């Protein structure tokens, strides 16, 4: 397998990890994935010595495309956040209303030390 194609495949995998990280909101992971993408893209440049520019173009296009897709999906997820927070608050209110409230907190006895001499002191 030519080294330029291996570099393009590795760059594509790094671009995919970066897109997933952006979608999840993990900026550090996205930066790390792009940081690993750079040497993989340089590795795909090895194919240019044989006048094969396809691996370089593919690795660059994958990074740009997947970063845009990750940002769009993140925007869509963030657009639904107000409805999710309202539903979350309603669930919390329902749980609090259903929980029995007692005036006095429950008391518990101190733990027994048993027959262990080190804990009996």
């Amino acid at each position: 397998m030519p080294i330029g194609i291996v570099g393009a495949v590795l760059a594509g995998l790094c671009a995919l990890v970066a897109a997933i990280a952006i979608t999840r909101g993990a900026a550090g992971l996205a930066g790390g994935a792009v940081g690993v993408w750079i040497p993989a893209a340089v590795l795909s440049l090895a194919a240019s010595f044989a006048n094969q520019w396809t691996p370089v173009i593919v690795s660059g296009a994958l990074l740009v495309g997947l970063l845009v897709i990750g940002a769009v999906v993140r925007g869509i997820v963030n657009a639904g956040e107000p409805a999710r927070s309202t539903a979350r608050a309603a669930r919390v209110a329902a749980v609090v209303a259903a929980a029995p409230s007692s005036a006095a907190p429950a008391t518990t006895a101190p733990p027994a030390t048993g027959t262990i001499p080190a804990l009996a002191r």
Side-chain angles (χ1 to χ4, degrees):
M1 172 145 303
I3 196 161
I5 294 175
V6 171
V9 168
L10 290 175
L13 290 175
C14 291
L16 182 64
V17 169
I20 292 170
I22 287 176
T23 301
R24 305 255 333 189
L29 181 60
V34 172
V36 174
W37 175 87
I38 293 170
V42 170
L43 190 62
S44 71
L45 275 171
S48 68
F49 293 113
N51 286 329
Q52 301 241 340
W53 292 95
T54 305
V56 179
I57 294 169
V58 166
S59 63
L62 275 174
L63 180 68
V64 171
L66 286 174
L67 289 181
V68 168
I69 290 171
V72 168
V73 171
R74 179 73 180 169
I76 291 170
V77 168
N78 284 343
E81 182 59 32
R84 283 193 302 274
S85 63
T86 303
R88 191 176 304 121
R91 284 193 308 268
V92 168
V95 168
V96 169
S101 65
S102 60
T107 59
T108 59
T113 59
T115 58
I116 301 173
L119 295 177
R121 293 182 192 189

